Amino acid sequence: EKGRFPSASLGAYIDYLKESNYDDIISQNILKKNNALNQILYGPPGTGKTYNTIDKTLQIVDGNVPSNREEAKERFEALKEAGQIEFITFHQSYGYEEFVEGIKADVKSSDIRYSIEDGIFKRISDVARKQYENSKKSQQELATEKSLKDHVDEFLNRALEDELVFTKTKGGKFSVKDLSEKSIVLYSEDSNYNENSVTLDLDEFYKIVNADTDFKTSRQMAQEVFGISNQRQKDTYYLSLYKEYKKLPFDKGISTQESVEEKNYILIIDEINRGNISKIFGELITLIEESKRLGNAEEMEITLPYSGEKFGVSKNLYIIGTMNTADRSIALMDTALRRRFEFEEMMPKPDLLREIDIENIDLEQLFAKINQRIEYLYDRDHTIGHAYFLNAVDKESLDSVMGNKVIPLLQEYFYDDWEKVQIVLGDHKEQTKSDTDKFIISVKNSEKDILGFNYDELDEEGYSYSINASFTNEAYLKIYE
């Protein structure tokens, strides 16, 4: 109703729509648009960052998240199989060549051959862009394109199966050697490169056919179709194929084609802070900015360094990153990345452990007290996440969590400072507690006991530390009591 919500919040408007039974509008329109194109979930280890990427993804793609976790995971896997989701983990040696594009060596043949291969970001970007562009086309445009694609595929498959021989303008002969989803591989008798192999881009050939012009020279074709002043070696092959294609009769009927609904695509980058962002993204860091996305007012494209292709990122591609603050603080993140991402903090949630009952041990209080001490002695970025304790169902599994996960993590945090580990666990050496009720046992050693004599340069007596073989209920209780 016009004027009813002149300054109301989005939440109030959603409540109004719910009352009006407009659930479809809410889930498919408003909630979808309320997601940032680039976002990073950050927090200490074990706070459910990777776990929550499933919910984030389904919210963006479907507009809702199933309440049943198994259903949510099944839907997530189905979207991955359909190509709408890609998942990658950054590491120190990960680079631009794996992420965007790079030159890779093919050692399967007798000679080493080099080819340009797309990285995971370019692959999903190309798919998302094509789907976005198709969603803006009319049924007539889609039907025409499908007919053209069918004709080209029919022509190329016939050339491959019948081993047709083509002749270039200057007399060299070639044939179609192989076809893939993105390329046409030719055998050329006058090419000495890569075992007489020449690779053409299938999308470029589609553009030439779609131009439907009577080109006189390959230079003219390169200028009018691709906007380049200097023809490339492969343009002579394109022109010869195109001339033969024009000679063949095809069914001129236009097939029917339904309109395409815009879909959202997701790239999940786990441990995004472990990679060298400048090295991995390169010049593409500008293209992922919301205002620079294709379809927006300031849309931008760049020319890729290896393939020479024009490349842009459409606005239906979302990037979700996860970041462990125990590895690196946000303050140390690449400034260009920080400006282009929205950050959502995910901190430990003690209340999620409230319903876990293990031999009268209050896990919620225990967990909160451990993190309170870690934050005081170290910082909040190195607290411990609730996910470590969620799978504890009995005393045995709880002991396993403490002995194999929590204590080793504390050792890492407070390297070479066992006293702080003891303080976090309530085992400080000054406390008069039985060793059986401690997690960490400390034994006081005199220099005479260790060395066999008094060494004047040692001013203090030392301690040796060990992790207890088993943990009693009293050891847990004294953490928070």
Side-chain angles (χ1 to χ4, degrees), residues 118-134:
D118 294 342
I120 190 169
F121 181 67
K122 185 173 185 297
R123 289 199 300 271
I124 193 171
S125 293
D126 287 345
V127 172
R129 176 177 182 169
K130 188 171 184 180
Q131 203 282 333
Y132 172 76
E133 290 173 345
N134 285 341

Side-chain angles (χ1 to χ4, degrees), residues 217-481:
T217 65
S218 55
R219 182 184 294 274
Q220 178 197 357
M221 182 196 70
Q223 288 176 334
E224 294 186 12
V225 177
F226 305 117
I228 54 179
S229 56
N230 297 318
Q231 72 176 61
R232 304 160 297 182
Q233 181 190 28
K234 61 183 179 179
D235 289 328
T236 59
Y237 295 98
Y238 279 134
L239 182 60
S240 298
L241 282 175
Y242 175 61
K243 287 183 175 180
E244 292 302 318
Y245 169 84
K246 293 283 287 183
K247 294 178 183 177
L248 297 178
F250 293 107
D251 178 12
K252 300 300 182 183
I254 300 296
S255 59
T256 58
Q257 182 73 14
E258 294 183 358
S259 57
V260 175
E261 182 182 355
E262 183 182 333
K263 294 180 181 179
N264 289 330
Y265 291 75
I266 316 290
L267 175 62
I268 299 172
I269 305 175
D270 202 25
E271 305 283 2
I272 192 170
N273 55 313
R274 294 186 65 227
N276 184 330
I277 299 301
S278 299
K279 173 186 173 186
I280 295 171
F281 276 88
E283 70 278 12
L284 302 191
I285 196 69
T286 300
L287 298 185
I288 67 172
E289 196 171 327
E290 186 168 352
S291 62
K292 304 297 189 300
R293 297 294 191 98
L294 300 178
N296 289 333
E298 299 177 27
E299 66 175 40
M300 180 181 291
E301 288 184 305
I302 55 109
T303 301
L304 295 176
Y306 293 107
S307 63
E309 294 179 18
K310 290 287 187 180
F311 180 76
V313 183
S314 55
K315 60 182 181 180
N316 62 333
L317 175 60
Y318 290 74
I319 301 174
I320 302 175
T322 69
M323 174 180 166
N324 189 339
T325 54
D327 291 336
R328 182 184 296 182
S329 168
I330 285 182
L332 301 176
M333 287 290 293
D334 187 282
T335 306
L337 184 78
R338 277 190 286 152
R339 284 191 287 109
R340 290 171 171 87
F341 278 79
E342 289 189 10
F343 287 78
E344 180 178 338
E345 186 178 54
M346 303 194 70
M347 295 301 290
K349 297 179 179 179
D351 57 292
L352 295 180
L353 307 177
R354 188 170 299 160
E355 303 301 321
I356 301 177
D357 183 16
I358 300 176
E359 299 186 13
N360 295 321
I361 298 171
D362 191 332
L363 277 187
E364 181 182 8
Q365 284 196 59
L366 179 145
F367 177 70
K369 182 60 70 174
I370 286 176
N371 277 334
Q372 184 181 33
R373 289 169 178 166
I374 292 173
E375 185 172 345
Y376 182 82
L377 296 172
Y378 201 158
D379 59 42
R380 69 195 302 270
D381 287 340
H382 288 78
T383 49
I384 296 174
H386 48 269
Y388 286 105
F389 292 91
L390 285 177
N391 292 325
V393 294
D394 52 28
K395 179 67 164 47
E396 183 180 358
S397 58
L398 179 58
D399 288 349
S400 177
V401 169
M402 289 296 293
N404 300 324
K405 295 182 179 179
V406 175
I407 293 178
L409 195 59
L410 292 175
Q411 287 178 265
E412 180 185 333
Y413 286 173
F414 302 109
Y415 177 71
D416 206 25
D417 194 342
W418 280 93
E419 288 188 36
K420 287 184 179 178
V421 177
Q422 287 183 307
I423 292 171
V424 171
L425 299 175
D427 285 337
H428 192 263
K429 65 189 179 199
E430 297 301 327
Q431 290 180 299
T432 56
K433 295 282 186 181
S434 169
D435 283 348
T436 58
D437 296 335
K438 292 183 178 183
F439 292 97
I440 308 298
I441 300 173
S442 58
V443 178
K444 188 174 184 179
N445 299 312
S446 69
E447 58 194 55
K448 188 171 184 179
D449 292 335
I450 301 298
L451 304 176
F453 64 95
N454 290 326
Y455 188 35
D456 294 338
E457 292 185 17
L458 293 176
D459 296 329
E460 298 181 359
E461 296 175 329
Y463 290 83
S464 61
Y465 301 88
S466 62
I467 301 174
N468 218 333
S470 61
F471 309 137
T472 64
N473 283 32
E474 287 71 20
Y476 287 102
L477 294 174
K478 68 178 173 55
I479 290 178
Y480 60 89
E481 286 185 343

Side-chain angles (χ1 to χ4, degrees), residues 152-220:
V152 170
D153 291 348
E154 180 184 343
F155 164 69
L156 292 174
N157 281 305
R158 187 187 305 175
L160 177 64
E161 292 168 7
D162 296 346
E163 298 181 350
L164 300 180
V165 177
F166 302 91
T167 304
K168 294 192 295 181
T169 306
K170 296 185 178 180
K173 297 185 181 299
F174 67 93
S175 59
V176 177
K177 178 181 176 181
D178 193 17
L179 295 172
S180 71
E181 192 175 323
K182 298 189 68 174
S183 61
I184 309 165
V185 181
L186 307 177
Y187 174 81
S188 176
E189 63 179 22
D190 62 350
S191 174
N192 296 319
Y193 181 69
N194 277 353
E195 296 182 323
N196 299 95
S197 179
V198 177
T199 301
L200 306 182
D201 188 293
L202 188 54
D203 284 339
E204 287 192 339
F205 189 59
Y206 285 142
K207 290 179 181 178
I208 294 167
V209 173
N210 192 47
D212 196 22
T213 302
D214 184 18
F215 300 113
K216 303 300 181 186
T217 65
S218 55
R219 182 184 294 274
Q220 178 197 357

